[in-house]
Amino acid sequence: MSEGQSSARAPAGARTPVGRPLLSLTLASMMDEVHAHSGAVYLLSPDRPVLEMAVMAGLPRAFAAPWERVALSAPIPVADAVRDRRLVWVGGEEEMARRYPRIAVVLPYPFALAALPVATATRAYGAVFVTWPGTRPQELSDWERDHMAAACDRLAVRLERAAEQSLPLADEPDLLAAPLVGGTAGTLGSVEAARMVSRLPYGLCSLDVHGRVGFANAAAAELLDVPVGRLLGTHLWASVPWLNDPVYEDRYRAALFSQHVTSFVALRPPSDWLSFRLYPSTTGLSVRISRARAVTEMNRAAPQPGRAGARLVTISQVLDLAGALTEAVGVQDVVQLVADEVVPAVGSQGLVVLGSRAGRLQVLGHRGYPDPRVVERYDGMPLSEPTPGSQVLRTGVPAFFESRADVERLYPSLVSMSDFAAWAYLPLIASGRPVGTCVLSYTAPHHFATEERAVLTSLAGLIAQALERAVLYDAKHRLAHGLQEALLPHTLPSLAGIEAAARYLPATQGMEIGGDFYDLVPAQGMAAAVIGDVQGHNVTAAGLMGQVRTAVRAYTAVGQPPEDVMRSTNRLLLDLGAELFASCLYLRLDPAHGRAVMSRAGHPPPLLRRPDGRVRVLDLAGGPLLGIDGSASYPSTEVDFSPGSVLVLYTDGLVESPGTDFEVALADLGRRLTDLGDLPMDELADALVQHGADVGGRPDDVAVLLLRALPAG
């Protein structure tokens, strides 16, 4: 088992399974000690980075259906706990919405959650999460942290021993409340208690944690207009047609999850409004049913009747996966998210995403196929070829093949697709037209029930929207990238007495195109260097950047001194009327005499590393940003540039980031230059920009130009 992806499971039949319910006992003990009301244990899949729920306690597994199988890369607490090998604590509803919005959308209830890794020093086996009602304290005590961590450590050791001995884990049932009791007297504990309840003028029902009715008095049956015999053992929303609405089921889920009293009103056709009040505990709910009095108020609050919809677990899965797909940017992001989020959720093992271009199939991405040639041979195939992928893409009609025989019957000439045995071909339709086909592959024959087909088709619609956005983004990105490359110098010239290196990194937000520029040009026996940043991150900024760079080259060629180059460029920007500003730093380098003359227009100060390793920030006098004041002056300053000196010119993206003080970032850049300044120029440039890239996403472009004065001769 490899680091971060190990599992305690062994092949079935290899050895006698571990006898005691190891996972259930650990989970039950942990929940009891810290007074949690629900929880689950996940184990890492043996062959892929996926967490699979092994046992759940306190709540029906349907509550966690969107997360029964989750990718290790998914942004949810149990995955974070395994990846980071730490306890993840979410203290309440607001914190959940801030840190894990996808979970908050599906479970918008007040509860607290702790997730912990089940891991030894060298191997990860899975994770545990437990939850509490929202009424508990916002902070987790040190004792609770230590107790849960110790329990997970003990479980990891036992799983490690089982793995070393090749002992598989036996399947363990979920830990829920006591089983349903068939008789009224048994449910309530005494005949007299049952008689007392039957005399009450309002309805009473008892539901287990699954929502099944264990008891209903006569008043409840009368109010619901359903005999007691038809209620017992069934879900309330299944036996009462006008309660078959996800909104009502959500109130039951909210009560159980938050352990708070909840209520709702519902219209019993044709015109009677009933009030339902749910009193939860860890063993189920007591429901009080009465006639609603303030009909007008309730009419505003209640949902419209007759909107019986899909089960809420289906809605939960769609909400969770929709949240995941909104995070995708490019086509490969969509493919990766579908592989990480959708494939585990629906239980398939392979994925192919197809598109079309010029009347031919285009393989946009695939996962789960050991031999990529099996999929890639379809790339470029005419859409007229009789294949399921092209047929679905042309017609927009899904196709489900429950076995290999189904495929061979309809497509006898189709070459066998790897070792898979069942497929779902889902049309990806966005804006009323097919944009691709999503192929889900299964290693064993698979029956696609009507409900599952509906869910897969719904998911395909979400994937299609994400794919349409991604295709458009990739097209814009290619355009922007090509424009950026055309406007920046492809190489730096070789100049006597100077060694140079440059790097450019686009922003990771937006179109990844901006106005950062740099250049190095010969200038009448010397050299001129320039670096600048035009305001904005769009094609307009990039176009203006190209004009500024060209103008600086022209003014340099006619021999203008640095201060005049800046004044001329400033007037040019005003004449163009672009309404964009630019910062700029211009240098005239004379390595033969060991000096540099520079002029600055609102640009971050350069750094100078002396031959002895000391670094100085050249915070020299300058003028305002270019494009603001036509009468502005840009005084020049001469600095020492003796052999061995290194000048670092950069744009603000290298040192500015949200939450970071500019002075602190500049000092940090100076320390890195002191430590790394003797490296070869290309290595130094890589090291300086890589540090900024490691900090996180870049809200701004980064341009760096390094200049080293070489000894004479």
Side-chain angles (χ1 to χ4, degrees):
M1 291 176 285
S2 62
E3 172 73 4
Q5 297 185 22
S6 57
S7 172
R9 294 190 183 276
R15 293 285 300 276
T16 303
V18 176
R20 299 177 62 197
L22 175 61
L23 307 179
S24 301
L25 288 175
T26 300
L27 181 60
S29 175
M30 181 189 299
M31 291 171 55
D32 184 60
E33 290 292 337
V34 299
H35 306 294
H37 80 287
S38 73
V41 179
Y42 285 83
L43 294 178
L44 273 170
S45 171
D47 54 357
R48 51 185 179 156
V50 173
L51 287 165
E52 299 178 341
M53 184 181 291
V55 62
M56 187 167 185
L59 291 172
R61 185 174 288 234
F63 279 32
W67 308 288
E68 279 202 80
R69 288 184 298 272
V70 297
L72 198 57
S73 59
I76 68 172
V78 288
D80 285 352
V82 176
R83 289 197 311 269
D84 301 338
R85 300 294 186 91
R86 64 179 176 87
L87 183 150
V88 176
W89 167 248
V90 184
E93 190 175 9
E94 291 184 4
E95 187 177 359
M96 183 67 76
R98 185 174 66 254
R99 295 174 56 190
Y100 300 101
R102 285 167 49 189
I103 294 180
V105 167
V106 179
L107 300 174
Y109 316 126
F111 68 96
L113 178 145
L116 302 94
V118 177
T120 62
T122 57
R123 297 177 179 178
Y125 292 91
V128 172
F129 81 77
V130 292
T131 68
W132 294 263
T135 53
R136 69 151 285 135
Q138 287 286 313
E139 297 299 327
L140 202 60
S141 70
D142 292 339
W143 180 88
E144 289 172 319
R145 291 175 178 269
D146 294 342
H147 179 83
M148 291 190 295
C152 289
D153 290 344
R154 289 193 297 270
L155 176 59
V157 170
R158 298 193 65 179
L159 291 174
E160 184 175 55
R161 291 173 182 169
E164 290 171 351
Q165 300 173 28
S166 299
L167 296 177
L169 295 178
D171 291 335
E172 300 181 26
D174 290 342
L175 303 176
L176 295 171
L180 196 66
V181 179
T184 301
T187 302
L188 295 176
S190 72
V191 173
E192 186 57 36
R195 290 173 177 168
M196 177 192 71
V197 171
S198 68
R199 300 186 192 111
L200 295 175
Y202 44 80
L204 286 177
C205 289
S206 175
L207 309 182
D208 67 5
V209 292
H210 287 289
R212 297 174 301 195
V213 179
F215 167 82
N217 66 357
E222 180 181 354
L223 288 168
L224 297 173
D225 197 23
V226 177
V228 171
R230 282 174 46 193
L231 291 172
L232 294 179
T234 68
H235 294 98
L236 196 60
W237 45 88
S239 298
V240 184
W242 44 273
L243 286 179
N244 189 13
D245 189 298
V247 172
Y248 302 140
E249 187 184 350
D250 179 60
R251 296 297 82 209
Y252 141 77
R253 291 161 59 91
L256 268 185
F257 219 100
S258 66
Q259 293 292 293
H260 286 179
V261 176
T262 62
S263 59
F264 63 88
V265 291
L267 176 64
R268 187 189 73 182
S271 59
D272 293 327
W273 290 91
L274 300 183
S275 173
F276 294 78
R277 194 161 180 81
L278 286 63
Y279 300 85
S281 75
T282 56
T283 60
L285 301 98
S286 296
V287 182
R288 172 176 167 167
I289 309 170
S290 59
R291 295 187 183 277
R293 295 179 180 175
V295 176
T296 303
E297 287 294 321
M298 291 178 216
N299 189 38
R300 285 200 294 264
Q304 295 299 316
R307 295 187 311 157
R311 295 267 55 84
L312 191 64
V313 63
T314 299
I315 294 174
S316 301
Q317 288 177 307
V318 171
L319 285 171
D320 181 65
L321 295 171
L325 288 168
T326 59
E327 301 167 5
V329 178
V331 170
Q332 290 309 308
D333 293 332
V334 173
V335 174
Q336 189 64 51
L337 271 169
V338 173
D340 291 344
E341 304 284 345
V342 177
V343 169
V346 301
S348 64
Q349 290 77 42
L351 167 73
V352 182
V353 179
L354 301 171
S356 66
R357 182 170 54 191
R360 295 179 177 272
L361 278 178
Q362 181 182 12
V363 177
L364 301 178
H366 57 86
R367 299 291 186 275
Y369 285 79
D371 185 359
R373 293 174 298 180
V374 172
V375 176
E376 291 169 359
R377 64 186 173 188
Y378 292 97
D379 196 46
M381 180 179 290
L383 288 177
S384 57
E385 287 289 322
T387 67
S390 57
Q391 175 73 12
V392 169
L393 198 150
R394 286 198 314 269
T395 64
V397 178
F400 299 92
F401 302 98
E402 300 186 346
S403 66
R404 188 180 296 273
D406 288 350
V407 178
E408 293 173 350
R409 183 173 61 255
L410 294 176
Y411 300 93
S413 62
L414 185 65
V415 180
S416 173
M417 291 184 64
S418 186
D419 295 326
F420 291 104
W423 297 268
Y425 286 80
L426 308 172
L428 304 179
I429 300 175
S431 303
R433 62 182 183 86
V435 296
T437 301
C438 177
V439 185
L440 299 172
S441 309
Y442 300 77
T443 54
H446 184 86
H447 173 62
F448 296 97
T450 302
E451 181 180 356
E452 183 178 5
R453 295 184 183 212
V455 171
L456 293 177
T457 303
S458 298
L459 294 178
L462 297 174
I463 297 169
Q465 295 177 33
L467 183 62
E468 184 183 43
R469 293 192 302 268
V471 168
L472 180 61
Y473 175 87
D474 283 351
K476 290 182 177 179
H477 173 71
R478 286 192 296 270
L479 172 64
H481 188 69
L483 178 60
Q484 192 84 52
E485 285 188 337
L487 294 176
L488 290 174
H490 295 162
T491 59
L492 296 177
S494 297
L495 301 176
I498 296 175
E499 183 183 7
R503 294 293 184 271
Y504 173 80
L505 294 179
T508 57
Q509 302 171 11
M511 281 185 60
E512 299 188 7
I513 183 171
D516 290 23
F517 67 95
Y518 59 86
D519 207 352
L520 180 64
V521 296
Q524 300 164 344
M526 294 187 289
V530 62
I531 192 166
D533 183 3
V534 177
Q535 174 191 31
H537 295 89
N538 50 44
V539 174
T540 301
L544 188 61
M545 172 265 282
Q547 291 175 299
V548 171
R549 177 172 166 249
T550 301
V552 169
R553 272 184 167 260
Y555 299 139
T556 299
V558 298
Q560 288 190 359
E563 59 270 24
D564 288 343
V565 170
M566 298 297 273
R567 280 197 295 267
S568 298
T569 307
N570 180 46
R571 287 194 296 269
L572 173 68
L573 256 67
L574 289 168
D575 291 342
L576 290 173
E579 298 184 353
L580 292 178
F581 310 134
S583 69
C584 190
L585 177 65
Y586 181 86
L587 295 83
R588 188 66 58 87
L589 304 167
D590 186 0
H593 296 89
R595 67 192 187 102
V597 180
M598 60 186 67
S599 181
R600 187 158 68 105
H603 199 80
L607 299 183
L608 174 66
R609 186 183 191 270
R610 300 181 185 279
D612 60 7
R614 290 182 298 167
V615 173
R616 175 188 171 194
V617 178
L618 302 179
D619 196 2
L620 310 173
L625 293 169
L626 302 177
I628 294 180
D629 181 3
S631 62
S633 62
Y634 299 91
S636 60
T637 305
E638 181 176 320
V639 297
D640 178 73
F641 191 50
S642 55
S645 299
V646 177
L647 274 168
V648 178
L649 318 181
Y650 57 92
T651 56
D652 52 12
L654 183 68
V655 291
E656 289 186 352
S657 59
T660 302
D661 183 77
F662 175 80
E663 298 297 333
V664 173
L666 193 59
D668 182 55
L669 177 62
R671 284 191 294 270
R672 283 183 280 124
L673 183 58
T674 299
D675 297 337
L676 305 173
D678 293 327
L679 290 173
M681 291 296 274
D682 283 330
E683 294 183 24
L684 177 59
D686 289 336
L688 294 182
V689 298
Q690 186 60 44
H691 178 83
D694 290 341
V695 173
R698 293 185 301 277
D700 199 359
D701 303 357
V702 174
V704 174
L705 178 61
L706 306 183
L707 305 166
R708 175 178 282 156
L710 299 176

